[in-house]
């Protein structure tokens, strides 16, 4: 195919502007400079992504999007989870992103509030298959995309999230563009144009939480990553500073008072978001889910489980439950009276009732429409009150139980602590076995462990199952 080759102007402020710095990091980071811990962390997220994606392939959002892309057809370039057909890379990224986020059981990063892998890996895998890249190149691109999403998400900051934007879909889309640009071999100049195109393409609103619109966001981000990088390869020119310029993505999407530079909001994390880019890989602070619901509820679940372990309490003994959380979660996972299984995953009150009544929050079968109207659970749910504490971190919660006999029990939990890689691998193995069965989980572990020694074909074959 003959590709147009328009004249590209030098990037202004090379090494200074945010877009130029990101583009250089994406295009020019040598494989040997990526630390081992980043590679190990990425393999853990790859393991988790495949397990959760395969488990979610029968969910309504997965079957709907898969049906659409199968009906559209096209070039046989990439694997689609749950399908025997190979489809165009952009279509595969859309379907696989939506499928992997269908259960809301995937990894989360709390430097910003986003699910990085579901937006980035579908784009990287689709283009690795299309271009014939080896497993090591796939992992490199995945890591570069993950780190880009974490940095952009941190820089956009709380103002962006509070304004109603879903960081998985927005910051995640820039990560997907980064991974895609890396696999397509774009230089820094064309990578900057891909990022500029993404600044006018990325989208996703928190108003979709509790519906199929939320997992659709992950598919949109992944597909947009493939699209913008591919267009940049073909010569499509954008404003390469579209992420940070006046009337650019940050200025228009970051919330009141953030201005064109976002860091004007005074958030220390946002100000320093790019200071050590390429030296410290912040993605390695990723958190994994071991409860099949919104990550914002997990500290409360753990606090309740600790309380019940220390002193078993029956539901009829409970007069009142108070859950104290960071204010940001009220607009995320505080649906007071959920009506569907999806909404149940975003309800502190109902999830607390599930834990206190002895039901598993890790089991996928727990979250049904029927549990939302069970009389015993509704009674318990209505005894739960959610309050906020501005001094709490994102993963910090205090839970108090007031009992009918006048006693009060409380527990404080903060999940923001490092977890050794071997501990995470062990827990993720158990999770994969629970979702896929022991034999299938074993095949997945072997494919992930051997990824960098060959092509990603073995991994792709597993996804068809």
């Amino acid at each position: 195919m003959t590709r147009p080759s328009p004249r590209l102007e030098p990037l202004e402020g090379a090494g200074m502007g945010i877009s130029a710095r990101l583009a250089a990091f994406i295009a020019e980071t040598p494989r040997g400079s990526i630390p081992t811990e980043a590679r190990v962390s990425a393999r853990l997220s790859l393991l988790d992504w495949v397990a959760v994606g395969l488990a979610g392939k029968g969910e309504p959002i997965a079957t709907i999007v898969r049906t659409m892309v199968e009906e559209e057809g096209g070039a046989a370039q990439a694997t689609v989870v749950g399908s025997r057909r190979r489809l165009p890379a952009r279509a595969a990224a859309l379907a696989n992103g939506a499928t992997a986020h269908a259960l809301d059981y995937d990894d989360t990063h709390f430097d910003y509030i986003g699910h990085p892998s579901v937006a980035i890996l579908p784009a990287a895998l689709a283009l690795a298959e299309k271009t014939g890249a080896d497993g090591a190149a796939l992992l490199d691109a995945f890591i570069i995309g993950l780190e880009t999403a974490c940095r952009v998400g941190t820089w956009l900051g709380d103002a962006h999230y509070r304004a109603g934007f879903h960081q998985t879909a927005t910051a995640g889309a820039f990560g997907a563009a980064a991974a895609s640009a890396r696999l397509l071999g774009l230089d820094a100049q064309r990578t900057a144009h891909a990022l500029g195109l993404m600044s006018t393409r990325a989208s996703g609103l928190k108003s979709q939480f509790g519906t199929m619109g939320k997992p659709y966001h992950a598919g949109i981000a992944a597909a947009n990553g493939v699209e913008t990088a591919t267009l940049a390869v073909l010569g499509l020119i954008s404003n390469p500073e579209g992420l940070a310029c006046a009337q650019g993505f940050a200025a228009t999407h970051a919330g009141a008072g953030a201005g064109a530079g976002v860091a004007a909001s005074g958030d220390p994390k946002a100000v320093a978001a790019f200071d050590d880019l390429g030296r410290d890989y912040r993605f390695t602070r990723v958190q994994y889910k071991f409860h099949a619901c919104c990550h914002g509820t997990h500290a409360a679940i753990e606090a309740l489980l600790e309380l019940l372990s220390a002193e078993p309490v029956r539901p009829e003994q409970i007069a009142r439950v108070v859950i104290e959380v960071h204010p940001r979660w009220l607009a995320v996972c505080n649906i007071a009276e959920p009506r569907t299984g999806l909404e149940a995953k975003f309800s502190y009150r109902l999830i607390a009732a599930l834990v206190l009544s002895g039901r598993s929050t890790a089991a996928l079968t727990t979250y049904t429409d029927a549990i939302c109207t069970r009389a015993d659970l509704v009674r318990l749910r209505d005894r739960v009150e959610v309050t906020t504490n501005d001094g709490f971190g994102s993963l910090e919660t205090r839970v108090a139980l007031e009992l009918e006999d006048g006693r009060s029990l409380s527990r404080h939990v903060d999940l923001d602590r490092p977890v050794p890689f071997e501990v995470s691998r062990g827990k993720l193995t158990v999770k994969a076995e629970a979702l896929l069965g022991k034999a299938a989980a074993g095949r997945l572990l072997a494919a992930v462990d051997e990824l960098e020694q060959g092509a990603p074909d073995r991994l792709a074959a597993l996804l068809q199952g």
Side-chain angles (χ1 to χ4, degrees):
M1 178 174 63
T2 302
R3 296 177 176 172
S5 300
R7 185 173 65 87
L8 299 180
E9 298 296 332
L11 295 177
E12 293 185 7
M16 297 290 291
I18 285 170
S19 294
R21 291 173 67 185
L22 277 174
F25 167 71
I26 293 162
E28 298 169 5
T29 296
R31 174 174 297 173
S33 72
I34 298 175
T36 299
E37 66 172 3
R39 307 190 81 80
V40 172
S41 186
R43 285 197 296 271
L44 291 178
S45 283
L46 176 58
L47 163 63
D48 192 48
W49 182 87
V50 175
V52 172
L54 285 172
K57 67 183 180 182
E59 292 295 302
I61 174 64
T63 56
I64 289 168
V65 177
R66 186 165 63 244
T67 297
M68 182 186 76
V69 297
E70 285 182 332
E71 288 180 350
E72 289 178 343
Q77 296 173 341
T79 301
V80 174
V81 175
S83 176
R84 293 292 176 181
R85 294 177 59 186
R86 287 166 58 86
L87 292 172
R90 183 171 51 159
L94 175 67
N96 293 345
T99 298
H101 201 39
L103 296 174
D104 217 304
Y105 210 176
D106 42 286
D107 62 8
T108 311
H109 206 286
F110 287 94
D111 275 8
Y112 69 110
I113 306 296
H115 302 277
S117 293
V118 289
I120 296 159
L121 188 56
L125 181 59
L127 284 177
E129 289 190 90
K130 178 183 176 181
T131 62
D134 61 23
L138 168 60
L139 198 68
D140 285 350
F142 184 34
I143 293 167
I144 294 295
L146 291 168
E147 194 62 22
T148 298
C150 290
R151 299 303 182 119
V152 171
T154 302
W155 180 72
L156 290 171
D158 282 346
H160 177 69
Y161 193 71
R162 288 197 307 270
F165 295 104
H166 183 197
Q167 291 260 44
T168 300
T170 56
F174 288 96
S180 299
R182 178 83 178 197
L183 279 162
L184 290 174
L186 272 67
D187 62 16
Q189 201 167 15
R190 290 195 186 272
T191 296
H193 284 289
L195 295 174
L197 292 173
M198 186 56 78
S199 71
T200 202
R201 198 79 169 94
S203 60
L205 302 174
K206 289 195 298 183
S207 59
Q208 295 297 326
F209 285 13
T211 77
M212 285 186 272
K214 183 176 188 283
Y216 178 53
H217 287 168
I220 292 172
N224 284 345
V226 172
E227 177 180 305
T228 55
T230 301
L231 290 172
V233 166
L234 294 171
L236 193 64
I237 292 175
S238 70
N239 177 348
E241 296 293 339
L243 176 60
C245 66
Q247 296 188 323
F249 186 83
T252 56
H253 288 67
V262 178
S265 64
D267 181 346
K269 286 200 305 182
V271 171
F274 300 103
D275 281 357
D276 51 5
L277 181 65
R279 297 191 302 275
D280 178 34
Y281 279 72
R282 298 188 187 180
F283 170 71
T284 57
R285 283 77 132 178
V286 68
Q287 298 267 345
Y288 298 105
K289 283 188 173 186
F290 302 107
H291 304 281
C293 49
C294 179
H295 218 141
T297 66
H298 288 204
I301 292 170
E302 294 296 335
L304 287 167
L305 290 172
E306 287 185 16
L307 278 175
L308 294 177
S309 177
E311 184 165 351
V313 173
R314 299 187 306 276
E316 62 270 19
Q317 294 178 274
I318 299 169
R320 183 169 176 251
V321 182
V322 179
I323 301 175
E324 192 178 359
V325 299
H326 188 285
R328 68 165 32 134
W329 294 116
L330 292 191
V332 179
C333 47
N334 193 35
I335 298 176
E337 298 179 3
R339 297 162 297 174
T340 67
L342 268 176
E343 289 187 347
K345 295 183 177 188
F346 296 87
S347 174
Y348 277 117
R349 299 177 77 212
L350 185 60
I351 286 171
L354 292 172
V355 177
L356 292 168
S357 62
R359 289 172 171 81
S360 171
T361 51
L364 301 177
T365 52
T366 296
Y367 303 91
T368 64
D369 295 353
I371 65 161
C372 298
T373 56
R374 279 186 59 106
D376 58 335
L377 291 174
V378 169
R379 281 194 301 272
L380 195 50
R381 179 202 73 191
D382 289 345
R383 297 173 196 167
V384 179
E385 176 185 346
V386 181
T387 65
T388 63
N389 187 323
D390 289 330
F392 277 5
S394 292
L395 297 176
E396 193 171 359
T397 299
R398 181 181 293 112
V399 171
L401 300 184
E402 297 177 9
L403 304 183
E404 293 286 0
D405 62 9
R407 289 182 299 149
S408 181
L409 308 173
S410 67
R411 188 74 66 178
H412 174 271
V413 166
D414 188 351
L415 297 180
D416 189 15
R417 59 180 185 270
V419 178
F421 288 126
E422 60 271 18
V423 173
S424 291
R425 180 182 168 96
K427 288 185 175 183
L428 289 172
T429 300
V430 171
K431 177 179 173 181
E433 290 174 352
L435 291 173
L436 307 178
K438 195 162 187 177
R443 291 191 292 272
L444 171 56
L445 281 165
V448 170
D449 287 343
E450 297 168 10
L451 177 64
E452 292 177 88
Q453 280 71 58
D457 297 352
R458 187 174 178 185
L459 194 65
L462 290 174
L463 294 174
Q464 293 179 327

